[in-house]
Amino acid sequence: DNGGYEHYLLKEISEQPDTVARTLRGRIDDRFHIAHLGGLNMDARETRSFRRVKIIGCGSAYYSGQIGAQLIEELARIPADAEPASEFRYRSPVVEPDTLYVAISQSGETYDTLAAVQELKRKGGRVLGIVNTVGSAIARECDGGVYLHAGPEVSVASTKAFTSTAVAFALLALHLGRVRDMSPADGRRICEGLRRLPEQIKEILTMEEQIRALAIKYAEAPGMMFVGRVRGYPVAREGAQKLKEISYVHAEAYPASELKHGPLALISADLPTVAVVPDDELLDKNLTTLGEIRARHGRILMVGHRTADAADDCVVVPKNENELDPILLTIPLQLFAYHAAVALGRDVDKPRNLAKSVTVE
Ligand code: BG6
């Protein structure tokens, strides 16, 4: 049932205040500023023993894993990185006993991710699953994990599972951090930030008309560039992915810092840029990048926490803690892709050539 929405995709985007609240429910401890994740099946000693975290997933799950890796590095100070599960399983990875492996899947049935988990298990790897579908193949194969509780996701392009996965990673990072070096004060800051998310998402959803108008304006371009630095980069990648998947507009995502090392050659009046610019310690660097794009006559749609002279258009979202901002910055880009696809008359919920979950090799 699409709940009166024209498309499942819009329904699922609009559900996010609720789905994020469900991922958080019962998992924040305000007394000790820790996370309760009952399904991890790891004691405190084991939780402290990991020296690395490796995250795997496909498509949007992989991009949410990039946000997850940054959260774990920043909050728990454990080296972490994400890799497409498909690549991981084909390259004969070194499986280490002091690495925590985390597999992400909305459906829990993606074959590439499942095969990677099975390979890890065969080699003695400790694997957690961040999965939406209870009892799915990947959930069963893992040693423990975190369920998203986001409810069924019908539209092929992932939205609510993406934000819930990022939230689950924030909880996991809090959990790993608080049994290591993370202070109670930092723990409290993150707990409070997490609690603010549902209301802030609601606020972003009220901006739909503005974003729709921008999507109509920019959807005519033959292609778009998406840029972001560090925390903004996975957001840019997911924004480009959403646009490609459902509107078939060519989109590239680059780290803003890499622009001058190649893709700046593409920038012209014909290739607008979506710039993800959070108000964090990299703001000045990002604004300089916007100036470089503008000097090449590139139009700029900035998504961030303020307006900037260098940008043609700005979408200003509510600010949270720096580490949690990527979750919120993702949402305007979902709405942007959705309305671009509608404006172009695309089959939004069932884009050509794609399946909701790829259960074959
Ligand atoms: C792709 C879907 O095939 O699988 C994407 O088109 C999705 O939307 C990806 O992100 C991974 O799916 P899952 O179910 O493993 O999260």
Side-chain angles (χ1 to χ4, degrees):
D1 161 41
N2 61 5
Y5 287 95
E6 200 177 334
H7 298 102
Y8 277 102
L9 190 66
L10 185 58
K11 172 180 181 259
E12 288 160 4
I13 291 171
S14 306
E15 275 173 355
Q16 289 174 108
D18 198 42
T19 51
V20 162
R22 287 212 296 270
T23 305
L24 291 172
R25 188 159 304 149
R27 287 170 166 168
I28 297 176
D29 182 323
D30 288 311
R31 194 145 78 101
F32 299 109
H33 318 302
I34 58 175
H36 287 301
L37 295 169
L40 298 185
N41 301 327
M42 285 193 304
D43 60 24
R45 194 157 150 221
E46 198 180 356
T47 309
R48 266 184 226 107
S49 69
F50 298 112
R51 300 186 53 182
R52 249 164 64 80
V53 178
K54 179 89 199 177
I55 299 162
I56 55 172
C58 296
S60 291
Y62 159 55
Y63 298 134
S64 65
Q66 265 204 318
I67 294 180
Q70 290 187 357
L71 281 161
I72 288 171
E73 281 212 359
E74 283 200 273
L75 297 176
R77 303 303 295 154
I78 308 171
D81 76 309
E83 183 179 342
S86 44
E87 287 286 288
F88 180 81
R89 87 184 177 93
Y90 282 120
R91 71 174 175 80
S92 184
V94 179
V95 179
E96 299 160 307
D98 54 359
T99 297
L100 174 63
Y101 295 89
V102 185
I104 306 168
S105 180
Q106 186 288 127
S107 62
E109 306 292 344
T110 297
Y111 186 75
D112 279 328
T113 311
L114 178 63
V117 171
Q118 288 167 336
E119 184 63 16
L120 279 167
K121 299 290 300 176
R122 203 171 292 126
K123 293 178 172 162
R126 188 81 164 84
V127 195
L128 294 181
I130 294 189
V131 173
N132 195 31
T133 308
V134 176
S136 54
I138 293 168
R140 279 183 276 126
E141 200 73 40
C142 290
D143 299 298
V146 184
Y147 278 123
L148 301 179
H149 302 304
E153 193 179 64
V154 174
S155 192
V156 167
S158 182
T159 51
K160 62 177 181 172
F162 184 94
T163 46
S164 277
T165 301
V167 167
F169 269 113
L171 290 166
L172 181 62
L174 178 67
H175 177 71
L176 293 171
R178 290 286 289 124
V179 296
R180 295 172 136 86
D181 285 342
M182 188 184 195
S183 69
D186 247 2
R188 173 197 292 244
R189 185 174 67 75
I190 296 304
C191 288
E192 288 174 357
L194 285 168
R195 286 204 187 281
R196 284 199 298 277
L197 287 173
E199 276 308 311
Q200 291 182 314
I201 295 172
K202 262 187 211 160
E203 218 179 298
I204 296 170
L205 294 174
T206 66
M207 298 160 63
E208 188 180 343
E209 261 318 300
Q210 184 208 350
I211 297 166
R212 190 173 81 94
L214 291 169
I216 292 167
K217 173 175 165 183
Y218 284 93
E220 284 163 20
M224 291 197 83
M225 179 70 83
F226 284 69
V227 297
R229 254 189 186 78
V230 187
R231 296 187 193 100
Y233 178 49
V235 177
R237 292 187 90 182
E238 170 61 7
Q241 176 92 329
K242 283 285 88 81
L243 189 68
K244 279 185 269 211
E245 278 182 301
I246 59 173
S247 77
Y248 319 145
V249 172
H250 175 71
E252 297 237 22
Y254 265 92
S257 51
E258 275 287 296
L259 213 54
K260 60 181 174 298
H261 300 300
L264 197 55
L266 289 172
I267 299 293
S268 72
D270 298 329
L271 187 80
T273 298
V274 173
V276 182
V277 183
D279 248 13
D280 62 12
E281 62 280 5
L282 297 170
L283 176 67
D284 289 345
K285 290 254 177 260
N286 282 321
L287 294 178
T288 304
T289 303
L290 299 196
E292 287 162 2
I293 295 169
R294 198 176 180 88
R296 275 83 182 175
H297 311 289
R299 285 185 293 153
I300 300 169
L301 165 57
M302 171 169 141
V303 179
H305 302 116
R306 60 169 73 207
T307 59
D309 292 340
D312 297 87
D313 295 286
C314 297
V315 173
V316 179
V317 306
K319 180 87 182 76
N320 198 300
E321 300 303 323
N322 287 346
E323 298 91 332
L324 301 177
D325 281 330
I327 301 166
L328 295 171
L329 290 163
T330 299
I331 292 166
L333 300 187
Q334 297 171 342
L335 286 168
F336 182 82
Y338 171 74
H339 284 293
V342 170
L344 293 168
R346 308 302 192 213
D347 188 352
V348 173
D349 285 329
K350 286 194 178 1
R352 68 185 183 200
N353 310 341
L354 297 177
K356 179 65 181 156
S357 77
V358 182
T359 55
V360 291
E361 192 144 5

